[in-house]
Amino acid sequence: MRQSAPPFSELLAGCRQSAVHLEMRDHYDDPDEAPRVAAWKAGYRPNPDDRSTWWRPWLDMVAETVSRGVLIRRARIISEPVSDYTRYLYDGTFTNVAAGEDIRWLPRRQASDLALPGNDFWVFDGRLVRFGHFSGEGAYLGDEVTDEPSVAKLCADAFEAVWDRAIPHAEYQV
């Protein structure tokens, strides 16, 4: 059954084994993130030695979730050459990795023969799916969750197909 998603913090708090996330857009227009993107374009980079410069509270939630034994993996399907936004994400991904996420990158041309859902998604414990909806310009429009087994299987299988081909963050170069 599809319904509006509860707060993301609740979804992670209820997670016991795994949370996987597939991102398929080259740009997200998040008004909360706009100042960070503008600062990055002006030359700012998070300080690897100063966690207070990192994106909060997301990274704190990730670290807490991983400390409970939950595996968090994120795969990003990206166009090459990469967009400025993808470069921005790439430059800050070390913070996600330090918080406990495992992240991989898949060039879009290597995903052409994969069957993928139409929206970005998270799958929690292989059973609950949260779809994120975005405008053509990348503005966040909302989300929905479903626990329909066939949808969870479709998304979990799609994620694993991408994950198997994707390049670990430490090996991928933009």
Side-chain angles (χ1 to χ4, degrees):
M1 177 170 149
R2 292 177 189 241
Q3 57 192 351
S4 293
F8 201 85
S9 58
E10 282 183 32
L11 293 170
L12 273 184
C15 198
R16 299 293 172 244
Q17 298 171 352
S18 67
V20 300
H21 183 36
L22 182 60
E23 297 176 356
M24 297 181 279
R25 300 184 58 87
D26 288 320
H27 178 81
Y28 296 88
D29 186 18
D30 179 350
D32 293 336
E33 196 168 13
R36 289 190 295 269
V37 174
W40 174 85
K41 285 181 177 181
Y44 171 81
R45 300 297 182 267
N47 181 342
D49 299 320
D50 182 3
R51 286 184 177 237
S52 70
T53 67
W54 300 5
W55 182 25
R56 300 302 230 288
W58 172 253
L59 296 172
D60 295 329
M61 274 195 305
V62 167
E64 188 281 325
T65 303
V66 169
S67 75
R68 292 187 286 110
V70 176
L71 176 65
I72 299 180
R73 296 183 294 158
R74 180 189 305 252
R76 293 176 171 144
I77 298 175
I78 48 143
S79 298
E80 291 180 321
V82 299
S83 67
D84 281 348
Y85 187 84
T86 298
R87 284 183 191 285
Y88 157 74
L89 287 178
Y90 180 84
D91 283 349
T93 293
F94 77 89
T95 64
N96 298 72
V97 172
E101 284 189 63
D102 193 359
I103 298 180
R104 294 186 181 182
W105 304 83
L106 182 64
R108 191 171 309 281
R109 70 181 181 278
Q110 295 177 24
S112 297
D113 61 343
L114 298 178
L116 302 169
N119 295 293
D120 289 8
F121 61 84
W122 281 87
V123 179
F124 301 93
D125 291 332
R127 62 167 195 80
L128 183 69
V129 179
R130 177 191 175 268
F131 289 108
H133 300 291
F134 299 88
S135 74
E137 297 297 322
Y140 175 69
L141 300 175
D143 50 49
E144 66 181 327
V145 296
T146 181
D147 59 1
E148 295 174 34
S150 61
V151 175
K153 181 176 180 358
L154 170 78
C155 291
D157 290 349
F159 179 86
E160 293 303 330
V162 169
W163 189 258
D164 288 345
R165 290 186 185 181
I167 303 162
H169 177 69
E171 297 172 24
Y172 184 72
Q173 299 296 313
V174 295

